[in-house]
Amino acid sequence: MPVLSSAAGQVIAERTVEISARMSMAFAAAIGAVEEIYLDDAREGGIVAPPPFCVCLEWPIMFDPHCRTLTGTSDEEAWGGLHVLQDSTFHRPIRPGDRLRTVGRITHVRGTRAGALTVTKLTTTDAHSGKPVVTSWLHTIFKGLYVDGGDRPGETGAALKKLEAPASRADRREQIHLPRTLPHAYTECTGIWNPIHTERKVAQRKGLPDIIVHGTCTWAIAAMQTIRYAGGDPNRLQRFAARFEAMVIPGTDIVIDLTRDPANADTIQVAVENAGGQIAMADGIAEFSAEYSLSQGSLSPTSRT
């Protein structure tokens, strides 16, 4: 079946959401962001959402039925689309009480050997002022599908530099266990539902060995470890981007490799290996501002239950 090239340049949908403490803290809990700045809404200055929270605003746009209409994909084909890259720029922190507007636009459609590639730009702005909050680029491959109407190249976001294998040169390696129930909790705390992440019968029917962890979940967990490595201030993170490659099975361990860019101490290269030693998240890049906006004391893990 084809993916329609006429989708390029088209707006998928727009959505305005008022951010609540419940939404923000649920996302933090799902990805293990246990610091007070994410979970203690009684702290002086309140809480901020973990930067990867942006996916909670973006994926309802990607799941909008109009996206399937534009691309010409069936429900089954849409569920089979592979999220292969996420590149997010954070213009300012997200806080409870914010009213945010997210608009998704397909910018690029072309054929690849693996299938049809679409690129979507998701722009989140303050609904009152119009000022930017987050800008994300999502790349999706529809395996085995071709492009109807010829390639329609357009904006794809900044290119990710191909990085060397990280294990032999990483400054820090963090091993993290992902509970078997993580995809279920992440699904309910984010609203990002695809049955291949929670229903083994569906995953196996799709040719997968088991349910798999959401790419955005692995991305978010890696982002939080990177923020901790960089000193713990989430407001310093300006960009986090990576490609998704090998799958991650819940109930196993991942290893996050973190390496400071020798040319810029505020840039950290990130990679994630799955339990089989395969690269699950490649060419990761985290860019931080040079200034801290919060004291270390306000970033400690919460002692509240």
Side-chain angles (χ1 to χ4, degrees):
M1 295 291 291
V3 169
L4 303 178
S5 67
S6 58
Q10 301 298 312
V11 171
I12 299 170
E14 63 177 71
R15 183 171 177 260
T16 300
V17 176
E18 184 162 338
I19 307 303
S20 68
R22 177 182 177 182
M23 294 164 60
S24 177
M25 291 190 289
F27 180 81
I31 62 170
V34 297
E35 290 81 359
E36 290 179 4
I37 192 170
Y38 310 119
L39 290 177
D40 184 4
D41 62 340
R43 69 186 286 277
E44 184 177 356
I47 59 174
V48 299
F53 174 82
C54 63
V55 300
C56 299
L57 307 175
E58 295 163 351
W59 278 91
I61 301 290
M62 300 300 294
F63 288 154
D64 191 282
H66 189 50
C67 188
R68 295 193 285 280
T69 300
L70 288 174
T71 58
T73 54
S74 67
D75 289 352
E76 189 78 6
E77 290 165 341
W79 288 123
L82 299 177
H83 183 198
V84 295
L85 183 146
Q86 173 91 19
D87 186 348
S88 295
T89 297
F90 308 101
H91 305 287
R92 72 154 175 88
I94 295 174
R95 297 178 179 274
D98 284 344
R99 186 170 175 80
L100 303 179
R101 176 175 177 261
T102 303
V103 178
R105 181 188 298 273
I106 298 172
T107 63
H108 177 100
V109 179
R110 69 176 175 87
T112 73
R113 284 182 293 180
L117 169 70
T118 64
V119 177
T120 304
K121 183 180 183 181
L122 292 131
T123 305
T124 297
T125 57
D126 185 291
H128 300 295
S129 69
K131 292 182 178 179
V133 178
V134 183
T135 303
S136 292
W137 296 90
L138 273 67
H139 292 213
T140 304
I141 286 183
F142 296 91
K143 288 189 69 175
L145 303 189
Y146 64 93
V147 173
D148 182 13
D151 292 350
R152 290 280 299 275
E155 288 185 283
T156 59
L160 286 185
K161 179 182 176 183
K162 193 71 178 172
L163 301 176
E164 301 172 32
S168 60
R169 59 184 181 84
D171 296 327
R172 179 177 295 181
R173 306 196 83 206
E174 298 282 355
Q175 184 167 331
I176 297 176
H177 180 71
L178 304 183
R180 181 67 182 173
T181 55
L182 175 62
H184 303 81
Y186 184 82
T187 293
E188 299 307 319
C189 289
T190 62
I192 301 175
W193 177 76
N194 183 328
I196 64 172
H197 300 300
T198 53
E199 299 167 36
R200 196 161 184 260
K201 183 166 59 176
V202 174
Q204 289 180 330
R205 194 167 68 234
K206 291 288 186 181
L208 300 172
D210 205 335
I211 58 173
I212 60 174
V213 177
H214 304 62
T216 58
C217 183
T218 302
W219 182 81
I221 291 170
M224 301 315 297
Q225 285 298 113
T226 308
I227 290 169
R228 294 179 184 114
Y229 178 58
D233 184 350
N235 299 337
R236 291 184 61 222
L237 184 64
Q238 296 181 316
R239 180 190 179 201
F240 194 73
R243 304 181 204 280
F244 304 126
E245 295 190 357
M247 68 186 72
V248 173
I249 306 297
T252 66
D253 292 356
I254 58 172
V255 175
I256 302 174
D257 294 313
L258 304 169
T259 308
R260 287 196 183 272
D261 188 324
N264 184 350
D266 293 316
T267 297
I268 298 172
Q269 299 170 355
V270 188
V272 177
E273 299 172 26
N274 66 15
Q278 300 168 303
I279 300 298
M281 201 183 89
D283 304 330
I285 189 77
E287 297 174 357
F288 290 85
S289 64
E291 295 184 1
Y292 285 81
S293 59
L294 299 167
S295 67
Q296 290 299 307
S298 65
L299 298 168
S300 59
T302 180
S303 59
R304 299 174 186 272
T305 58

